Amino acid sequence: MSISVNDSGTWRTSKIISVNDAGTWRDAKAVYINDAGTWRAVYGNSSGTTTFATGTSGTWIVPEGVFSVSVQALGGGGGGGAGHENSEGVGAGGGGGAGAQTFVSLAVTPYDAISYGSGAAGAGTGSLGVNAPSGGTSYFGSVSAGGGQGGRSTTAGTGILGAGGTGGTASAGGSNGASGATPTAAATGGKGADSAYGTGGNGGTNAGGASASGQAAGGGGGGRYSISGSTPPTAGGSGSAGSLVISW
């Protein structure tokens, strides 16, 4: 982007713009004008993209000349619950919920410090009677996309089904994970919820649940176990990580 000036009837493109700062000439990196309340760049390069590492958090400083950023936030997927069998019955773990997603434009001020976090995946669990860990929330300032809830494990000694995890909340909420299948000798854990950017892990049959795939937030598959006799639980699969990207 450049600025042209009229030099005695001839338009010339300015290669460098300098301003007098209390007697010292300084080269301007960018020039903006206020167009009916909206700041617009008329000189200089003020574009860029930042992708934050999964599971990290911190503070981001708004660059010079930036007044608006686009935020793409995806919450992490929840892990899958554990399945179990003993003499009282067979239980199947629930699949994890998908992370939510949100895409918004956010007004900012140069040099402001904005807090951020990029949601991690929820791990599958091998413990009974609990929900697997939920996926982490991705956030940037006031914008957030919640992680999916972890699937429910069966309870020791009862052989009940594990409920699927609830999807994360934001402008576009995540899908819920499936509950464990009806207990039989071939019961299967609930499938993790798919997201727009990832596929939920399948529930295990006589095995642990599969982990989710994809770059975004598919929920982890629920685990289950169905070998005769009293046996240890089999863990659910992990969800897939969320993400946070900003551009300007």
Side-chain angles (χ1 to χ4, degrees):
M1 192 172 293
S2 61
I3 288 180
S4 296
V5 295
N6 192 314
D7 179 13
S8 300
T10 300
W11 285 98
R12 304 184 188 278
T13 300
S14 176
K15 296 181 179 179
I16 298 175
I17 294 178
S18 299
V19 294
N20 192 313
D21 180 13
T24 301
W25 286 96
R26 305 183 188 279
D27 293 339
K29 295 181 180 179
V31 175
Y32 289 75
I33 59 172
N34 191 314
D35 179 12
T38 300
W39 287 97
R40 304 184 188 280
V42 294
Y43 172 82
N45 182 8
S46 59
S47 63
T49 299
T50 296
T51 301
F52 298 97
T54 299
T56 63
S57 61
T59 301
W60 186 76
I61 305 301
V62 180
E64 180 180 3
V66 175
F67 296 90
S68 176
V69 296
S70 296
V71 182
Q72 174 183 305
L74 300 162
H84 180 62
E85 179 197 31
N86 64 13
S87 60
E88 298 182 29
V90 177
Q101 62 182 40
T102 186
F103 303 90
V104 299
S105 180
L106 184 68
V108 296
T109 301
Y111 309 113
D112 272 0
I114 300 177
S115 61
Y116 71 85
S118 182
T125 185
S127 299
L128 299 179
V130 299
N131 279 83
S134 297
T137 296
S138 292
Y139 62 91
F140 184 80
S142 60
V143 177
S144 67
Q149 183 186 40
R152 184 75 177 176
S153 297
T154 59
T155 302
T158 62
I160 64 172
L161 300 177
T166 303
T169 57
S171 58
S175 300
N176 296 341
S179 294
T182 302
T184 67
T188 300
K191 183 185 184 301
D194 296 337
S195 74
Y197 301 91
T199 302
N202 290 321
T205 302
N206 301 334
S211 294
S213 61
Q215 297 180 341
R224 69 145 255 112
Y225 212 82
S226 66
I227 296 177
S228 298
S230 182
T231 55
T234 296
S238 296
S240 56
S243 65
L244 178 65
V245 180
I246 60 170
S247 57
W248 62 94

